[in-house]
Amino acid sequence: MNKKQQEAIQLAEFAIHCAQKHGAEQVNVYIQSSENEKLVITDGETENLSYNEQQAIIISLYHNERNNTITCSHLNKEALEQFIINGINNIKYLAPDPYERQLPKELCYDEGYIDLGLYDENIDKVDFERQKDICLTEQQRIVGSDVITSSCGINKKKAEKLCLFSNGFFGISRETILSIYTSATISDSNEMRRQHYESRTYINGDHLGAENLGSRTLSYARAKKGAESIESGRYTTIIHNSITPDILDPLISASYGSKIYDKHSFLCNKINKKITSDILTIQCLPRTYGRIGAKTFTSDGLPATDMNVITNGVLNNYFINYRYSLKMQMAPTLDLPICTTVTPGLRTTSEIISTTRKGILITDFLGGNCNPVSGDFSYGIEGFLIENGVITKPISEMLITGNILELMQQLVEIGTLPHTPGKSPYPALVFENATIN
């Protein structure tokens, strides 16, 4: 354990002692620190260059069946103590809730620090000079008489979180994140403009700048030239793997225990019931080595273990933190989705397209929403028309509409997992007779 971590532990111990001295019965302390760098180059010129360090201490105070969570950046003890006193004094204004309590010690994670491959000790080798070289190289790939503007940006982050509870729970998590994006705006006929955006996110710098994002961005932007609406109807619809998380989000969001308890979800009373076609299986695998967002414990202090969300179309679990597990009289699970995984199929997106007689490949959602109670949705889309196994033209100014549970029953195929570093590992989804208008 390094000096910085030791100092954080000492500060957390002080906060717990101070809070209990002034009347708190139970205390959870989270100390977060991060270093953030950002570089943006637009049209060959540096538009944004920034660096900042952030530190915060978050304290959950439990007293008389009430909880008050306070956050501050006062890391000196005198200021922190006064802040805690104010937080405890304000608890009396909150309504009592018999389920506001700390996770019992026997349920807490106790396996110590487990390296999940999320922290690169050499991340600082990706300094501003290297970032600038990469951004300029990517920008040089976005050239042509039709290019109006282009940009490339890199964000670098180092973050650490330390948790210490008054019941003795202790946990540390660390991560490094490098993200890069490229964007291009090009001219089309009739003074129209077409845009495209590509991004990748990594734990280290091994693949940074190696994927020709600028060329891909320009190619995709040009492929959108001449995009127009097509005849409304029901189409075989392929959801590109890059936006699979977006079409699944209504299902995942509706699975939160808080929404189930408040009866603000179309998945109320759906546990162990079939809600999608048989081919859909979704799991959370929170300890997946090397996957961004992996965790060994939840914010409650529970061990983060594998969880089946949907198996062969049947809903298995909700996302339930400890408080809502008491309210709902159900066992606690993960408090939020961690390393969500969709069991893949056997064919690539290209292979699926090649056997599609008439359909649509959706590559982007452009706004829209899904009603959390009814499941009715409407999303703007961009993509391509498929005819006789070939992409024939780009489409835009169209909507995909319907009910999310009905759409999930129309799921007929799942693609293979892509092997693109820095991209979320989701497969494409294929729906039969989706409504496009």
Side-chain angles (χ1 to χ4, degrees):
M1 190 171 297
N2 59 41
K3 181 180 178 182
K4 184 177 178 181
Q5 292 169 340
Q6 291 174 345
E7 291 175 348
I9 291 173
Q10 292 172 359
L11 185 64
E13 289 174 339
F14 170 81
I16 290 172
H17 172 75
C18 179
Q20 290 180 322
K21 180 178 69 174
H22 292 287
E25 296 152 9
Q26 299 169 325
V27 189
N28 294 353
V29 178
Y30 310 86
I31 297 180
Q32 301 175 343
S33 61
S34 66
E35 297 178 32
N36 304 276
E37 293 180 6
K38 181 178 181 180
L39 172 67
V40 177
I41 292 182
T42 300
D43 299 329
E45 300 293 335
T46 302
E47 179 182 349
N48 189 320
L49 180 64
S50 63
Y51 172 84
N52 66 75
E53 295 185 13
Q54 297 178 335
Q55 288 185 312
I57 180 166
I58 303 166
I59 306 172
S60 277
L61 305 164
Y62 296 89
H63 180 66
N64 285 343
E65 296 185 339
R66 295 169 171 87
N67 169 251
N68 187 20
T69 298
I70 57 177
T71 303
C72 73
S73 57
H74 302 304
L75 300 188
N76 69 81
K77 293 183 177 180
E78 182 178 350
L80 182 59
E81 180 166 13
Q82 186 57 53
F83 192 71
I84 290 172
I85 292 171
N86 293 339
I88 294 173
N89 289 338
N90 289 337
I91 286 181
K92 61 188 176 186
Y93 299 109
L94 300 173
D97 182 346
Y99 305 108
E100 284 287 10
R101 64 185 76 164
Q102 189 181 65
L103 183 72
K105 170 68 173 180
E106 61 269 18
L107 297 180
C108 286
Y109 173 83
D110 62 357
E111 300 173 55
Y113 179 73
I114 296 176
D115 181 13
L116 294 178
L118 303 179
Y119 195 90
D120 178 21
E121 298 288 352
N122 297 313
I123 194 74
D124 286 331
K125 290 183 178 179
V126 186
D127 56 16
F128 275 129
E129 282 299 321
R130 184 180 171 196
Q131 294 174 39
K132 184 177 181 180
D133 288 343
I134 291 171
C135 286
L136 288 172
T137 298
E138 294 297 348
Q139 282 232 296
Q140 290 166 3
R141 293 174 174 142
I142 308 175
V143 294
S145 59
D146 56 346
V147 175
I148 298 172
T149 185
S150 65
S151 67
C152 180
I154 293 177
N155 292 284
K156 184 174 78 174
K157 179 180 180 179
K158 295 191 291 185
E160 188 166 300
K161 181 177 180 179
L162 180 146
C163 309
L164 186 65
F165 297 177
S166 58
N167 64 7
F169 166 72
F170 172 71
I172 289 181
S173 60
R174 307 169 72 207
E175 66 178 0
T176 52
I177 295 177
L178 268 172
S179 60
I180 180 173
Y181 79 87
T182 51
S183 69
T185 301
I186 64 173
S187 59
D188 198 352
S189 58
N190 300 321
E191 299 185 352
M192 292 288 292
R193 295 185 174 195
R194 303 297 175 189
Q195 296 178 314
H196 189 70
Y197 173 95
E198 284 277 329
S199 66
R200 299 289 187 271
T201 303
Y202 310 102
I203 292 168
N204 56 50
D206 293 350
H207 298 281
L208 192 66
E211 294 198 50
N212 295 329
L213 278 194
S215 299
R216 290 174 58 87
T217 301
L218 182 58
S219 176
Y220 274 100
R222 285 174 172 164
K224 297 178 183 181
K225 285 188 175 184
E228 60 184 1
S229 59
I230 58 174
E231 182 181 1
S232 299
R234 290 184 173 269
Y235 291 83
T236 297
T237 300
I238 305 169
I239 304 296
H240 192 274
N241 68 279
S242 63
I243 58 171
T244 290
D246 298 322
I247 200 68
L248 293 178
D249 181 68
L251 278 182
I252 300 299
S253 297
S255 302
Y256 278 76
S258 57
K259 294 185 178 180
I260 300 297
Y261 181 80
D262 293 335
K263 302 189 184 305
H264 197 66
S265 168
F266 55 79
L267 291 182
C268 288
N269 303 313
K270 297 290 187 181
I271 288 291
N272 296 325
K273 294 183 180 178
K274 191 169 182 292
I275 62 169
T276 75
S277 81
D278 296 339
I279 66 172
L280 184 62
T281 293
I282 300 176
Q283 296 174 288
C284 286
L285 307 176
R287 300 193 188 190
T288 302
Y289 187 86
R291 182 168 172 182
I292 292 172
K295 297 184 185 331
T296 54
F297 55 87
T298 71
S299 58
D300 285 334
L302 280 164
T305 55
D306 293 355
M307 176 177 131
N308 295 327
V309 183
I310 297 172
T311 303
N312 297 329
V314 176
L315 182 64
N316 306 123
N317 286 290
Y318 296 132
F319 295 98
I320 307 175
N321 65 16
Y322 180 61
R323 178 180 174 224
Y324 276 95
S325 76
L326 298 176
K327 286 176 174 281
M328 301 167 68
Q329 297 185 339
M330 298 177 70
T333 60
L334 298 177
D335 56 347
L336 75 169
I338 307 172
C339 297
T340 305
T341 301
V342 177
T343 300
L346 301 175
R347 297 200 297 166
T348 66
T349 303
S350 296
E351 290 170 335
I352 294 170
I353 290 172
S354 70
T355 59
T356 301
R357 188 181 67 82
K358 188 172 185 180
I360 290 175
L361 170 65
I362 298 178
T363 56
D364 285 296
F365 289 121
L366 306 175
N369 61 80
C370 179
N371 187 300
V373 178
S374 69
D376 294 336
F377 70 89
S378 176
Y379 298 119
I381 62 170
E382 277 188 345
F384 299 90
L385 179 66
I386 303 167
E387 296 175 294
N388 298 318
V390 177
I391 289 177
T392 56
K393 66 178 180 180
I395 63 171
S396 64
E397 300 178 2
M398 300 291 291
L399 298 171
I400 180 171
T401 61
N403 181 276
I404 196 67
L405 289 178
E406 293 176 4
L407 181 70
M408 290 299 158
Q409 294 289 352
Q410 296 162 227
L411 180 66
V412 293
E413 187 171 1
I414 298 175
T416 57
L417 288 177
H419 298 287
T420 304
K423 293 288 282 185
S424 295
Y426 287 92
L429 303 181
V430 185
F431 298 94
E432 203 65 69
N433 296 318
T435 300
I436 306 294
N437 49 47

